[in-house]
Amino acid sequence: MEKQFEQIREQQKESWNKFSSGWKKWNDLTMDFLKPVGDEIIRSIDPKNGQIILDVAGGTGEPGLTIAGMLNGGKVIITDLSQDMLEIARENADQKGIKNVEFKACDVCELPFADDTFDAISCRFGFMFFPDMLLAAKEMFRVLKPGGKIAVSVWNVPEKNFWITATMGTINKNMELPAPPPGAPGMFRCAKDGLIADLFSQAGLKNITQEEIAGKLNCYTTDTYWIMMTEIAAPVVAALSKADEATKEKIKREVYLAVDQKYPEGDVIIDSSALVIYGEK
């Protein structure tokens, strides 16, 4: 089992490094899209001046950089499996003049920090990709101070996230993709109601709550939507790489049709739904 987790971790690292340039290109649009979830995470952990806060799977820097900007004294440590994503986070910090932030490439299942280090932990859309989610929750619990707060987000059910199902649903209709093994990382792996709350409870956290947060992907045009999805969505790119040219074109036509039917006025602002789960040590 250990070997399987290691393989998943290496695949994840390779994938996020590969797509880091796409995330940099689309940073403004994606950060605007994910902001309501980041705002709820920040509201939940309620950062205070002088605190030391950990942002796990921080990617290009959010919500860690926003949290750092709120702190007078204290600091944020942003971790991610992908060194290339963290380089973009570092650039974003420099552009915003944020100094009280550190960056560390590491695996959430082996956090390189002492017990009881952090006042709070944030993690936006990381859990779905962790090979061993319970071990990840236990590691976060370990490095959290007694009384410390944690808030994480995961995607809600596919029916409430047309922004990804418009493309992946069309791909699945047109291609015979192998079913992922049970428990494999994926967008909707944590969508089941209460799944993360149960992991939190098993890890030792208490006062656990769950909130549904709506978001909007402001693409404005179907062209923008399609280009973005084929440059930053790893499962989309992986699937399309296995398709011949005719199938790719058919998928593209059908995705355009699905999006255009849903937004006949041409203003492509796609609803999304996420869950934010909170706990305390």
Side-chain angles (χ1 to χ4, degrees):
M1 201 59 172
E2 196 68 20
K3 196 170 189 317
Q4 184 195 352
F5 287 152
E6 210 168 294
Q7 275 179 333
I8 293 170
R9 180 176 62 188
E10 289 310 306
Q11 285 165 358
Q12 289 292 320
K13 188 192 292 186
E14 188 183 329
S15 178
W16 288 107
N17 280 332
K18 178 182 171 185
F19 287 99
S20 60
S21 58
W23 279 88
K24 182 176 181 176
K25 174 181 172 180
W26 294 99
N27 194 65
D28 289 351
L29 192 149
T30 53
M31 291 306 105
D32 175 69
F33 174 40
L34 302 178
K35 188 175 183 295
V37 173
D39 288 348
E40 177 61 20
I41 287 172
I42 293 168
R43 189 198 67 74
S44 299
I45 63 172
D46 190 21
K48 301 278 194 255
N49 291 337
Q51 288 187 333
I52 301 174
I53 295 174
L54 176 66
D55 186 31
V56 175
T60 60
E62 290 296 344
L65 296 180
T66 297
I67 294 168
M70 297 168 67
L71 297 178
N72 182 10
K75 66 178 176 182
V76 174
I77 298 178
I78 298 177
T79 69
D80 199 277
L81 199 55
S82 164
Q83 186 69 55
D84 292 359
M85 293 290 272
L86 287 180
E87 284 305 316
I88 300 166
R90 198 187 302 274
E91 288 172 23
N92 289 337
D94 290 344
Q95 283 170 11
K96 293 174 179 173
I98 295 170
K99 306 288 187 200
N100 59 332
V101 62
E102 295 174 11
F103 304 92
K104 184 83 178 166
C106 63
D107 178 8
V108 65
C109 293
E110 297 173 329
L111 291 171
F113 308 110
D115 296 359
D116 308 334
T117 297
F118 297 98
D119 296 284
I121 298 175
S122 61
C123 177
R124 186 169 71 176
F125 299 121
F127 256 90
M128 306 92 65
F129 304 113
F130 299 154
D132 188 332
M133 295 189 294
L134 180 57
L135 181 54
K138 286 178 174 176
E139 269 293 89
M140 290 183 189
F141 180 85
R142 178 184 68 77
V143 302
L144 196 59
K145 290 179 182 176
K149 301 172 178 181
I150 179 169
V152 311
S153 68
V154 296
W155 291 112
N156 204 348
V157 292
E159 298 76 35
K160 295 188 174 186
N161 283 290
F162 182 70
W163 68 275
I164 185 71
T165 58
T167 303
M168 281 311 297
T170 305
I171 287 171
N172 286 324
K173 271 191 301 190
N174 282 278
M175 296 177 69
E176 288 290 325
L177 295 175
M187 291 289 300
F188 301 114
R189 180 185 180 204
C190 300
K192 186 182 172 193
D193 190 37
L195 187 146
I196 295 293
D198 184 50
L199 288 174
F200 272 17
S201 183
Q202 288 182 62
L205 292 158
K206 58 191 182 189
N207 298 332
I208 299 162
T209 60
Q210 177 181 292
E211 291 289 330
E212 182 178 354
I213 303 297
K216 289 186 183 298
L217 178 59
N218 294 295
C219 292
Y220 299 113
T221 70
T222 310
D223 277 334
T224 300
Y225 168 74
W226 173 257
I227 295 166
M228 186 196 76
M229 292 302 290
T230 53
E231 289 185 351
I232 69 167
V236 171
V237 178
L240 290 177
S241 71
K242 297 181 177 75
D244 58 41
E245 284 308 312
T247 305
K248 275 186 206 169
E249 275 307 312
K250 183 170 183 286
I251 288 167
K252 183 178 178 180
R253 276 198 311 275
E254 289 179 12
V255 169
Y256 270 64
L257 186 63
V259 174
D260 291 342
Q261 281 178 341
K262 200 167 175 73
Y263 303 96
E265 302 301 311
D267 208 3
V268 181
I269 302 176
I270 308 178
D271 289 332
S272 70
S273 174
L275 304 172
V276 173
I277 303 91
Y278 168 84
E280 296 168 3
K281 183 168 176 177

